[in-house]
Amino acid sequence: MSKRQVKKEQRDRIETWRKDAETLSYEEAMQALDLLLAELQNDSVPLADLQQKVLHGEVYLNRCQSLLDSVEQSIIELDPTTLKATTDA
């Protein structure tokens, strides 16, 4: 298999993980990330699979960050006196 094919397969795999992660809540994504981290910490991941696990973890981490950013933005858009959404944001 050529390097180009390997890179395409890896990109496709990451895109599939991203699509799957889009359906997860913050808690679900954190739990999946915790499970991957536990796997990495107890040395149960073969060296050949290590990079894939790390990349998969990054997808979950990005999902969590995206959800946090969304919540932060909605809080920023609240009127501090009424706690209702501002219309000029």
Side-chain angles (χ1 to χ4, degrees), residues 21-57:
E22 286 176 4
T23 65
L24 300 178
S25 68
Y26 177 83
E27 292 78 9
E28 291 167 333
M30 277 300 283
Q31 183 178 22
L33 187 57
D34 285 342
L35 290 171
L36 270 174
L37 183 58
E39 231 180 301
L40 292 171
Q41 287 176 332
N42 71 15
D43 299 328
S44 67
V45 177
L47 186 59
D49 297 338
L50 186 60
Q51 182 183 18
Q52 294 299 313
K53 295 289 185 181
V54 170
L55 291 172
H56 202 167

Side-chain angles (χ1 to χ4, degrees), residues 58-86:
E58 286 179 8
V59 168
Y60 290 131
L61 186 59
N62 289 338
R63 173 64 177 161
C64 290
Q65 188 62 53
S66 173
L67 291 168
L68 287 174
D69 290 345
S70 176
V71 169
E72 180 182 27
Q73 188 58 42
S74 68
I75 291 170
I76 289 171
E77 294 174 2
L78 290 178
D79 180 323
T81 57
T82 64
L83 296 180
K84 296 189 187 239
T86 60

